[in-house]
């Protein structure tokens, strides 16, 4: 691998020469990246650098136009986000992917609803409300009611709802696309703690962020994207914010 | 008077010497009015019937052997309390209904002092006539005049009236167990054919080169379709040497364009496909289509009624009458059955039924081709 | 939809008039009030209006539109649109009549065949719309033409008269409840609405109907098979139209291939009931009250002797009024 670092064992997920074209536009080209269990990788780069496009391919939301993905060493094809979820990959998208006409609880459980009666599949509403409440309290997220419609929530509360959805699903790889963009100070703190907690549970985290302080606090490695390419991967301990910023702006030295 | 109308119809037909069936009826009607075959419904016998209110059905009244002199609408109206007659009109949209039939019903009802509840069957809806039947029943109408043209739903409608024991007069399309009043669709076709053949002879057209065009609408169902098939059958009978390839059914069902523009489009296509066709004799189920056929011929530069062809409409609606009067299109005739006089017949008929008097089970209206020759007599300006 | 009976949430509760007026439940309450006013006006204006038998007439008159709208309400909540409803209704009636008269499959077979036709049309609609991303408006109009043409072709443009008393009973019989004689079609409509109300309110499928209408891409990303749900909803809409067509054929005593299409009445009832064309909101209760409101308006105006020409105008104005209010209330 071109940016190989001394990381041990089989990666949980490996992207090999992954590329994505939108017609004439090469949004992502030839990206190689391995993500190991218990590792937090930060992805940084300018607007339009291809960060979101890259993680959408890992999430099964878009299909790569070139290259391949491996999970625990085996090649996989994600034709639908469902396939990525089955491979234990959960994602918070940049636009959050919430149904605004539904309640906080509905969104937290979307796609994982608790039901009784296998034929009628009746919703277990009160159980889901209670679990949502517990989850939100646990995350230290300030949402007054799980009955509230998402359309009535603030930007931060929406992000918190999306976060709660991911926290609930016990995935091995959690992808977060700018999860703290709309969060307040207290909520950002809670988010960082949550990410660290995930890591201590042996989960892999891929987090896109423009916040250098946060990136340096929680990540093990930092991947820098520029014009669709992964131009460098640095160990967080061995680099500085200045170096990363100059990479983002000037590209490879 | 409807009985007068029935008789004049028969007489007019026989005087014109039209079809042999017409003459047969005239004789039958004179000799034995109790059992006359109706030409439109050959299987159906014409009886004298009286309404049995207790049973909720018409009963054949064999005691009647002649036209009872006592019949008088005025007497019936006086004898009756204020009666409610429910009239489920065909439509409140088309000329035939809006200009001719519906106003005649209103006028006659007012003259006779009966209350008329006019409900719109909203042709071509097949559900409204049934909903309106429910309303007539709920309003406890004394009698219903059902102008529903879909014979297939007539049984469903009659079930409701029979249960409620309400006597029914069916207009233009027969309903089982009701008294029929209206046009004889097949006869209108035969009359149109008669007129067309006379025209062809007058103009010295070669009869074996006629092009017979029928503007058909598969959606209107069997009974009105006889306005076309009656035409075609009469031509076939009169000109047996005319080859089958000279008969043309042109589909003129009402699309988004409406009946007139639809007929123009369909005819234009037909004319394009038959560039050499001359001596066209065309008809359709109503004046809208006939008018459209004539317009298309005129627009194609083939509208000279002396050589290119003619169109005979049905209903004597305003636009067709104007065209006949003007004489500048191939639309030279339209078969009238005097929709503007329907009410004058039907309301007295209804009052006789309500008074328990015997009435014919089938009352045919007068039919006559309106042409330039007689238009000022029937429709003075 | 979101207010469950149990409220484990410590911060839940507290009634807010404005947010209620904006909610989908608020729309239903508003329509109910409008319905009561209209009923009061007609009762005062016509001595024949406020009467059990007239109520039953209204019920029977709205039943066909009601059955079809109930099913397509689900589709429209999910952001779909089906303009092939009227054509499917006619096709189903003709197919049922033909199976009844030309095979030995009986009433059950006739209904099944009709439902199969509706499901098939819905499946084709759903496949093209979900898998190929064809615009629903275009696709279902195209299917309307296809189905109408096939129906006229197969039937040779001739109505198929039905005489089987069991089949006719579907549309023409009554259920006696004490002194009340409830027309069967009304009962079928209420039954359909009850079942679909249950599905929407209590089942996972119902939840997904709202979710897909809210944001289909979010559902897909949550692992939900949106395509399957979309196809199922178009099939349901087709099945609803077919069932309405069966009841209609039984009311008419014939399968009629050329009856006037009623899809626009169906769709405007659903929208009047509070479903937005954008999807995501709506209740079966809303559709029920809307169908009732339109039925009562037409019936009352007929009994008052108001020409059907003005009834059409009134129906249009009611719809315009409803969607205008819907826009205005968002500013609350
Ligand atoms: N669906 C799409 N169709 C066409 N082009 C797209 C599509 N999605 C993204 N792009 C283009 O691909 C490029 C990369 O976009 P992407 O969203 O991955 O950037 P990003 O690094 O996430 O930027 P940001 O920091 O602003 O979120 C951009 O030029 C964008 O316009
Ligand atoms: Mg992005």
């Amino acid at each position: 691998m071109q940016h190989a670092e001394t990381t041990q064992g089989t990666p949980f997920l490996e992207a090999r020469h992954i590329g994505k074209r939108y017609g004439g536009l090469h949004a992502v080209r030839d990206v190689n990246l391995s993500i190991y269990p218990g590792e937090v990788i930060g992805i940084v780069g300018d607007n339009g650098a291809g960060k979101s496009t890259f993680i959408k391919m890992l999430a099964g939301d878009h299909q790569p136009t070139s290259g391949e993905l491996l999970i625990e060493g085996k090649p996989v094809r994600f034709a639908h986000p469902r396939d990525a979820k089955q491979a234990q990959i959960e994602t918070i998208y940049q636009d959050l992917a919430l149904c605004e006409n539904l309640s906080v609880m509905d969104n937290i459980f979307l796609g994982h609803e608790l039901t009784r009666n296998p034929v009628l599949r009746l919703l277990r509403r009160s159980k889901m409300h209670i679990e949502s409440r517990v989850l939100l309290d646990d995350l230290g997220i300030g949402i007054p009611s799980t009955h509230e419609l998402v359309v009535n929530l603030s930007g931060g509360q929406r992000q918190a709802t999306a976060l709660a959805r991911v926290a609930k699903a016990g995935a091995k790889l959690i992808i977060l696309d700018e999860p703290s963009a709309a969060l307040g100070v207290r909520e950002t703190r809670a988010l960082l703690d949550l990410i660290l907690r995930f890591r201590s549970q042996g989960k892999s985290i891929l987090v896109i962020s423009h916040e250098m302080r946060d990136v340096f606090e929680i990540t093990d490695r930092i991947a820098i994207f520029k014009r669709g390419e992964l131009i460098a991967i640095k160990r967080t301990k061995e680099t500085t914010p200045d170096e990363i910023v100059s990479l983002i702006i000037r590209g490879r030295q | 008077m409807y009985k007068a109308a029935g008789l004049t119809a028969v007489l007019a037909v026989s005087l014109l010497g039209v079809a042999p069936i017409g003459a047969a009826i005239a004789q039958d009607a004179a000799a034995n009015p109790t059992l006359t075959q109706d030409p439109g419904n050959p299987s159906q016998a014409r009886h004298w019937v009286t309404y049995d209110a207790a049973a909720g059905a018409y009963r054949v009244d064999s005691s009647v052997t002649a036209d009872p002199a006592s019949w008088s609408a005025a007497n019936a109206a006086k004898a009756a309390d204020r009666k409610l007659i429910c009239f489920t009109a065909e439509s409140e949209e088309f000329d035939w209904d809006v200009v001719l039939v519906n106003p005649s019903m209103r006028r006659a009802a007012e003259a006779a002092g009966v209350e008329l509840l006019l409900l719109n069957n909203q042709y071509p809806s097949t559900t409204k006539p049934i909903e309106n039947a429910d309303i007539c029943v709920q309003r406890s109408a004394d009698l219903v005049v059902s102008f529903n043209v879909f014979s297939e739903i007539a049984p469903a409608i009659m079930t409701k009236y029979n249960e409620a024991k309400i006597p029914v007069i069916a207009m233009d399309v027969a309903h089982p167990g009701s008294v029929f009043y209206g046009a004889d669709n097949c006869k209108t076709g035969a009359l149109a054919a008669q007129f067309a053949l006379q025209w062809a002879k007058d103009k010295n057209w070669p009869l074996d080169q006629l092009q017979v065009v029928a503007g058909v609408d598969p959606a209107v169902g069997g009974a009105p379709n006889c306005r076309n098939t009656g035409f075609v059958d009469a031509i076939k009978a009169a000109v047996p040497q005319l080859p089958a390839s000279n008969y043309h059914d042109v589909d003129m069902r009402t699309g988004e364009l409406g009946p007139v523009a639809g007929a123009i489009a369909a005819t234009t296509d037909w004319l394009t496909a038959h560039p050499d066709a001359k001596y066209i004799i065309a008809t359709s189920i109503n004046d809208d289509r006939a008018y459209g056929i004539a317009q298309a011929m005129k627009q194609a530069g083939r509208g000279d009624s002396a050589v290119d062809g003619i169109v005979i409409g049905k209903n004597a609606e305003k636009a067709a009458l104007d065209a006949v009067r003007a004489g500048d299109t191939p639309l030279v005739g339209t078969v009238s059955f005097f929709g503007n006089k329907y009410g004058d017949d039907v309301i007295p008929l209804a009052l006789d039924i309500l008074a328990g008097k015997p009435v014919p089970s089938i009352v045919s209206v007068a039919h006559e081709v309106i042409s330039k020759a007689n238009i000022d007599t029937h429709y003075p300006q | 939809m979101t207010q469950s009976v149990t409220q484990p949430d410590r911060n839940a509760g507290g009634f807010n008039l404005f947010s209620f007026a904006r909610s989908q439940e608020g729309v239903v309450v508003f329509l109910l009030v409008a319905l009561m006013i209209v009923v009061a006006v007609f009762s005062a204006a016509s001595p024949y209006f406020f009467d059990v038998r007239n109520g039953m007439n209204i019920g029977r008159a709205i039943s066909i539109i009601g059955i079809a709208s109930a099913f397509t309400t689900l589709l429209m909540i999910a952001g779909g649109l089906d303009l092939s409803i009227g054509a499917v209704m006619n096709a189903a009636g003709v197919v049922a009549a033909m199976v009844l008269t030309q095979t030995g499959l009986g009433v059950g077979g006739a209904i099944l065949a009709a439902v199969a036709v509706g499901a098939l049309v819905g499946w084709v609609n759903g496949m093209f719309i979900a898998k190929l991303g064809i615009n629903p408006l275009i696709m279902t109009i195209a299917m309307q033409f296809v189905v109408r043409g096939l129906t006229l072709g197969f039937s040779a443009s001739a109505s198929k008269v039905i005489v089987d008393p069991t089949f006719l009973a579907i549309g023409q019989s009554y259920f006696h409840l004490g002194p009340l004689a409830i027309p069967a079609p009304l009962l079928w409509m209420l039954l359909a609405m009850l079942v679909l109300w249950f599905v929407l309110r209590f089942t996972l499928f119902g939840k997904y109907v709202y979710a897909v209408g809210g944001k289909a891409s979010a559902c897909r990303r949550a692992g939900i098979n949106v395509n399957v749900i979309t196809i199922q909803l178009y099939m349901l809409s087709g099945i609803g139209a077919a069932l309405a067509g069966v009841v209609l054929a039984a009311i008419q005593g014939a399968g009629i291939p050329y009856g006037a299409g009623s899809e626009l009445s169906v769709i405007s009832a659903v929208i009047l009931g509070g479903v937005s064309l954008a999807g995501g909101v709506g209740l079966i209760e809303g559709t029920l009250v809307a169908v009732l409101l339109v039925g009562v308006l037409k019936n009352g105006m007929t009994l008052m002797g108001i020409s059907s020409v003005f009834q059409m105008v009134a129906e249009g104005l009611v719809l315009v009024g409803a969607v205008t209010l819907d826009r205005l209330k968002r500013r609350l």
Side-chain angles (χ1 to χ4, degrees), chain B residues 20-96:
Chain B
I21 28 173
I25 299 168
Q27 284 157 14
D28 271 9
N32 180 11
T34 58
L35 276 177
T36 308
Q37 289 302 117
D38 180 76
N41 307 284
S43 61
Q44 208 176 334
R46 179 151 73 174
H47 315 284
W48 295 101
V49 292
T50 43
Y51 192 71
D52 182 344
Y58 288 102
R59 294 234 176 285
V60 175
D61 193 337
S62 48
S63 68
V64 183
T65 51
D67 196 349
S70 63
W71 291 2
S72 154
N75 288 347
K78 262 179 243 140
D81 331 315
R82 195 171 163 78
K83 298 287 187 189
L84 174 65
I85 294 180
C86 202
F87 173 43
T88 63
E90 180 187 34
S91 146
E92 289 192 298
E93 197 178 327
F94 301 106
D95 238 28
W96 166 254

Side-chain angles (χ1 to χ4, degrees), chain B residues 92 120 126 134 138 152 253, chain C residues 48 152 159 252 258 308:
Chain B
E92 289 192 298
N120 183 356
T126 53
D134 284 326
Q138 192 246 339
E152 57 271 49
R253 81 185 70 192
Chain C
Y48 313 104
L152 287 169
S159 293
Q252 294 175 329
Y258 41 73
S308 60

Side-chain angles (χ1 to χ4, degrees), chain A residues 51-53 94 177-178 208:
Chain A
K51 309 180 294 292
S52 296
T53 305
Q94 193 167 4
D177 193 348
E178 303 195 26
I208 299 176

